[in-house]
mmCIF file of all heavy atoms in Angstrom:
data_model
loop_
_atom_site.group_PDB
_atom_site.id
_atom_site.type_symbol
_atom_site.label_atom_id
_atom_site.label_comp_id
_atom_site.label_asym_id
_atom_site.label_seq_id
_atom_site.Cartn_x
_atom_site.Cartn_y
_atom_site.Cartn_z
ATOM 1 N N LEU A 39 4.178 -204.853 137.963
ATOM 2 C CA LEU A 39 3.755 -204.204 139.214
ATOM 3 C C LEU A 39 2.243 -204.102 139.318
ATOM 4 O O LEU A 39 1.654 -204.383 140.341
ATOM 5 C CB LEU A 39 4.388 -202.801 139.305
ATOM 6 C CG LEU A 39 3.987 -202.023 140.529
ATOM 7 C CD1 LEU A 39 4.883 -202.382 141.701
ATOM 8 C CD2 LEU A 39 4.057 -200.546 140.298
ATOM 9 N N VAL A 70 -3.341 -199.023 148.371
ATOM 10 C CA VAL A 70 -2.365 -197.955 148.496
ATOM 11 C C VAL A 70 -1.350 -198.261 149.578
ATOM 12 O O VAL A 70 -0.138 -198.073 149.381
ATOM 13 C CB VAL A 70 -3.073 -196.600 148.784
ATOM 14 C CG1 VAL A 70 -2.070 -195.545 149.246
ATOM 15 C CG2 VAL A 70 -3.807 -196.105 147.537
ATOM 16 N N VAL A 71 -1.807 -198.813 150.710
ATOM 17 C CA VAL A 71 -0.872 -199.215 151.759
ATOM 18 C C VAL A 71 0.088 -200.269 151.202
ATOM 19 O O VAL A 71 1.305 -200.196 151.391
ATOM 20 C CB VAL A 71 -1.635 -199.755 152.980
ATOM 21 C CG1 VAL A 71 -0.667 -200.417 153.997
ATOM 22 C CG2 VAL A 71 -2.423 -198.622 153.650
ATOM 23 N N GLY A 72 -0.480 -201.242 150.467
ATOM 24 C CA GLY A 72 0.359 -202.287 149.858
ATOM 25 C C GLY A 72 1.372 -201.682 148.902
ATOM 26 O O GLY A 72 2.535 -202.088 148.878
ATOM 27 N N ALA A 73 0.934 -200.689 148.107
ATOM 28 C CA ALA A 73 1.823 -200.074 147.113
ATOM 29 C C ALA A 73 2.988 -199.352 147.786
ATOM 30 O O ALA A 73 4.143 -199.447 147.322
ATOM 31 C CB ALA A 73 1.039 -199.077 146.255
ATOM 32 N N VAL A 74 2.715 -198.665 148.885
ATOM 33 C CA VAL A 74 3.798 -197.998 149.612
ATOM 34 C C VAL A 74 4.798 -199.014 150.116
ATOM 35 O O VAL A 74 6.017 -198.837 149.976
ATOM 36 C CB VAL A 74 3.225 -197.139 150.782
ATOM 37 C CG1 VAL A 74 4.339 -196.585 151.644
ATOM 38 C CG2 VAL A 74 2.370 -195.999 150.215
ATOM 39 N N ALA A 75 4.263 -200.140 150.639
ATOM 40 C CA ALA A 75 5.174 -201.190 151.113
ATOM 41 C C ALA A 75 6.010 -201.723 149.964
ATOM 42 O O ALA A 75 7.215 -201.929 150.101
ATOM 43 C CB ALA A 75 4.353 -202.307 151.762
ATOM 44 N N VAL A 76 5.377 -201.940 148.794
ATOM 45 C CA VAL A 76 6.074 -202.451 147.630
ATOM 46 C C VAL A 76 7.229 -201.526 147.259
ATOM 47 O O VAL A 76 8.376 -201.958 147.046
ATOM 48 C CB VAL A 76 5.125 -202.576 146.420
ATOM 49 C CG1 VAL A 76 5.889 -202.759 145.128
ATOM 50 C CG2 VAL A 76 4.187 -203.744 146.618
ATOM 51 N N GLU A 77 6.951 -200.229 147.205
ATOM 52 C CA GLU A 77 7.976 -199.295 146.738
ATOM 53 C C GLU A 77 9.120 -199.187 147.748
ATOM 54 O O GLU A 77 10.294 -199.096 147.381
ATOM 55 C CB GLU A 77 7.368 -197.900 146.470
ATOM 56 C CG GLU A 77 8.325 -196.865 145.964
ATOM 57 C CD GLU A 77 9.031 -197.222 144.650
ATOM 58 O OE1 GLU A 77 8.557 -198.151 143.953
ATOM 59 O OE2 GLU A 77 10.056 -196.593 144.328
ATOM 60 N N LEU A 78 8.786 -199.195 149.049
ATOM 61 C CA LEU A 78 9.838 -199.150 150.041
ATOM 62 C C LEU A 78 10.718 -200.384 149.970
ATOM 63 O O LEU A 78 11.955 -200.287 150.056
ATOM 64 C CB LEU A 78 9.236 -198.959 151.437
ATOM 65 C CG LEU A 78 8.510 -197.622 151.629
ATOM 66 C CD1 LEU A 78 7.989 -197.482 153.073
ATOM 67 C CD2 LEU A 78 9.393 -196.436 151.280
ATOM 68 N N LEU A 79 10.083 -201.558 149.759
ATOM 69 C CA LEU A 79 10.890 -202.771 149.618
ATOM 70 C C LEU A 79 11.760 -202.705 148.389
ATOM 71 O O LEU A 79 12.910 -203.102 148.381
ATOM 72 C CB LEU A 79 9.955 -203.989 149.526
ATOM 73 C CG LEU A 79 9.308 -204.469 150.810
ATOM 74 C CD1 LEU A 79 8.287 -205.537 150.513
ATOM 75 C CD2 LEU A 79 10.382 -205.005 151.755
ATOM 76 N N ARG A 80 11.174 -202.146 147.282
ATOM 77 C CA ARG A 80 11.912 -202.073 146.024
ATOM 78 C C ARG A 80 13.091 -201.102 146.140
ATOM 79 O O ARG A 80 14.179 -201.374 145.655
ATOM 80 C CB ARG A 80 10.976 -201.603 144.913
ATOM 81 C CG ARG A 80 11.335 -202.146 143.526
ATOM 82 C CD ARG A 80 10.510 -201.420 142.482
ATOM 83 N NE ARG A 80 10.720 -200.004 142.540
ATOM 84 C CZ ARG A 80 11.763 -199.367 141.985
ATOM 85 N NH1 ARG A 80 12.653 -200.064 141.347
ATOM 86 N NH2 ARG A 80 11.905 -198.084 142.095
ATOM 87 N N GLN A 81 12.872 -199.981 146.827
ATOM 88 C CA GLN A 81 13.981 -199.025 146.970
ATOM 89 C C GLN A 81 15.106 -199.579 147.830
ATOM 90 O O GLN A 81 16.240 -199.200 147.658
ATOM 91 C CB GLN A 81 13.437 -197.701 147.566
ATOM 92 C CG GLN A 81 12.680 -196.886 146.530
ATOM 93 C CD GLN A 81 12.170 -195.548 147.069
ATOM 94 O OE1 GLN A 81 12.435 -195.170 148.195
ATOM 95 N NE2 GLN A 81 11.416 -194.850 146.251
ATOM 96 N N ARG A 82 14.780 -200.513 148.752
ATOM 97 C CA ARG A 82 15.838 -201.155 149.492
ATOM 98 C C ARG A 82 16.593 -202.154 148.606
ATOM 99 O O ARG A 82 17.796 -202.337 148.782
ATOM 100 C CB ARG A 82 15.267 -201.883 150.709
ATOM 101 C CG ARG A 82 15.027 -200.960 151.867
ATOM 102 C CD ARG A 82 14.469 -201.687 153.086
ATOM 103 N NE ARG A 82 15.308 -202.820 153.471
ATOM 104 C CZ ARG A 82 14.911 -203.744 154.321
ATOM 105 N NH1 ARG A 82 13.706 -203.717 154.827
ATOM 106 N NH2 ARG A 82 15.718 -204.732 154.650
ATOM 107 N N GLY A 83 15.875 -202.742 147.659
ATOM 108 C CA GLY A 83 16.513 -203.521 146.606
ATOM 109 C C GLY A 83 17.332 -204.707 147.098
ATOM 110 O O GLY A 83 18.285 -205.093 146.493
ATOM 111 N N THR A 84 16.927 -205.337 148.175
ATOM 112 C CA THR A 84 17.698 -206.495 148.660
ATOM 113 C C THR A 84 16.939 -207.778 148.358
ATOM 114 O O THR A 84 15.832 -207.767 147.832
ATOM 115 C CB THR A 84 17.839 -206.387 150.205
ATOM 116 O OG1 THR A 84 16.525 -206.284 150.770
ATOM 117 C CG2 THR A 84 18.629 -205.187 150.607
ATOM 118 N N THR A 86 15.810 -209.858 150.584
ATOM 119 C CA THR A 86 14.644 -209.880 151.449
ATOM 120 C C THR A 86 13.513 -209.022 150.850
ATOM 121 O O THR A 86 12.345 -209.335 151.008
ATOM 122 C CB THR A 86 14.982 -209.363 152.855
ATOM 123 O OG1 THR A 86 15.720 -208.165 152.719
ATOM 124 C CG2 THR A 86 15.736 -210.385 153.662
ATOM 125 N N GLY A 87 13.894 -207.954 150.107
ATOM 126 C CA GLY A 87 12.892 -207.148 149.468
ATOM 127 C C GLY A 87 12.131 -207.966 148.446
ATOM 128 O O GLY A 87 10.904 -207.876 148.354
ATOM 129 N N ASP A 88 12.848 -208.774 147.678
ATOM 130 C CA ASP A 88 12.246 -209.599 146.657
ATOM 131 C C ASP A 88 11.266 -210.602 147.282
ATOM 132 O O ASP A 88 10.137 -210.794 146.822
ATOM 133 C CB ASP A 88 13.333 -210.354 145.890
ATOM 134 C CG ASP A 88 12.851 -210.802 144.520
ATOM 135 O OD1 ASP A 88 12.083 -210.014 143.910
ATOM 136 O OD2 ASP A 88 13.241 -211.866 144.081
ATOM 137 N N GLY A 90 9.880 -210.258 150.130
ATOM 138 C CA GLY A 90 8.793 -209.430 150.681
ATOM 139 C C GLY A 90 7.704 -209.183 149.636
ATOM 140 O O GLY A 90 6.506 -209.276 149.915
ATOM 141 N N LEU A 91 8.131 -208.903 148.397
ATOM 142 C CA LEU A 91 7.163 -208.639 147.330
ATOM 143 C C LEU A 91 6.325 -209.893 147.088
ATOM 144 O O LEU A 91 5.106 -209.828 146.948
ATOM 145 C CB LEU A 91 7.876 -208.272 146.031
ATOM 146 C CG LEU A 91 8.544 -206.892 145.977
ATOM 147 C CD1 LEU A 91 9.089 -206.611 144.616
ATOM 148 C CD2 LEU A 91 7.521 -205.813 146.356
ATOM 149 N N LEU A 94 3.841 -210.358 149.804
ATOM 150 C CA LEU A 94 2.768 -209.359 149.725
ATOM 151 C C LEU A 94 1.775 -209.732 148.606
ATOM 152 O O LEU A 94 0.555 -209.702 148.804
ATOM 153 C CB LEU A 94 3.393 -208.008 149.408
ATOM 154 C CG LEU A 94 2.576 -206.771 149.751
ATOM 155 C CD1 LEU A 94 2.394 -206.671 151.255
ATOM 156 C CD2 LEU A 94 3.307 -205.557 149.217
ATOM 157 N N LYS A 171 12.694 -189.980 144.717
ATOM 158 C CA LYS A 171 12.047 -191.045 145.511
ATOM 159 C C LYS A 171 10.569 -190.767 145.722
ATOM 160 O O LYS A 171 9.742 -191.671 145.664
ATOM 161 C CB LYS A 171 12.739 -191.154 146.868
ATOM 162 C CG LYS A 171 13.999 -191.975 146.823
ATOM 163 C CD LYS A 171 14.540 -192.257 148.225
ATOM 164 C CE LYS A 171 15.805 -193.092 148.104
ATOM 165 N NZ LYS A 171 16.603 -193.050 149.329
ATOM 166 N N LEU A 172 10.264 -189.489 145.928
ATOM 167 C CA LEU A 172 8.847 -189.112 146.147
ATOM 168 C C LEU A 172 8.012 -189.403 144.890
ATOM 169 O O LEU A 172 6.910 -189.945 144.958
ATOM 170 C CB LEU A 172 8.805 -187.612 146.508
ATOM 171 C CG LEU A 172 7.493 -187.095 147.073
ATOM 172 C CD1 LEU A 172 7.266 -187.709 148.441
ATOM 173 C CD2 LEU A 172 7.516 -185.598 147.148
ATOM 174 N N ASN A 174 8.743 -191.527 142.474
ATOM 175 C CA ASN A 174 8.637 -192.985 142.306
ATOM 176 C C ASN A 174 7.525 -193.547 143.173
ATOM 177 O O ASN A 174 6.781 -194.423 142.746
ATOM 178 C CB ASN A 174 9.961 -193.674 142.616
ATOM 179 C CG ASN A 174 10.948 -193.624 141.464
ATOM 180 O OD1 ASN A 174 10.496 -193.543 140.314
ATOM 181 N ND2 ASN A 174 12.226 -193.687 141.721
ATOM 182 N N LEU A 175 7.439 -193.023 144.394
ATOM 183 C CA LEU A 175 6.379 -193.479 145.281
ATOM 184 C C LEU A 175 5.004 -193.070 144.741
ATOM 185 O O LEU A 175 4.056 -193.865 144.756
ATOM 186 C CB LEU A 175 6.602 -192.869 146.677
ATOM 187 C CG LEU A 175 5.766 -193.415 147.812
ATOM 188 C CD1 LEU A 175 6.081 -194.894 148.022
ATOM 189 C CD2 LEU A 175 6.060 -192.641 149.106
ATOM 190 N N VAL A 178 3.704 -195.409 142.001
ATOM 191 C CA VAL A 178 3.192 -196.679 142.503
ATOM 192 C C VAL A 178 1.836 -196.501 143.203
ATOM 193 O O VAL A 178 0.925 -197.294 143.017
ATOM 194 C CB VAL A 178 4.239 -197.306 143.451
ATOM 195 C CG1 VAL A 178 3.729 -198.617 143.995
ATOM 196 C CG2 VAL A 178 5.544 -197.538 142.696
ATOM 197 N N VAL A 179 1.700 -195.405 143.939
ATOM 198 C CA VAL A 179 0.417 -195.137 144.602
ATOM 199 C C VAL A 179 -0.664 -194.869 143.567
ATOM 200 O O VAL A 179 -1.771 -195.406 143.676
ATOM 201 C CB VAL A 179 0.580 -193.953 145.567
ATOM 202 C CG1 VAL A 179 -0.781 -193.469 146.040
ATOM 203 C CG2 VAL A 179 1.406 -194.372 146.769
#
Side-chain angles (χ1 to χ4, degrees):
Chain A
L39 179 84
V70 166
V71 170
V74 172
V76 165
E77 181 60 16
L78 295 183
L79 284 172
R80 211 191 56 81
Q81 284 182 4
R82 279 180 54 193
T84 56
T86 46
D88 202 36
L91 289 185
L94 201 65
K171 279 189 179 162
L172 194 67
N174 277 335
L175 191 62
V178 179
V179 167

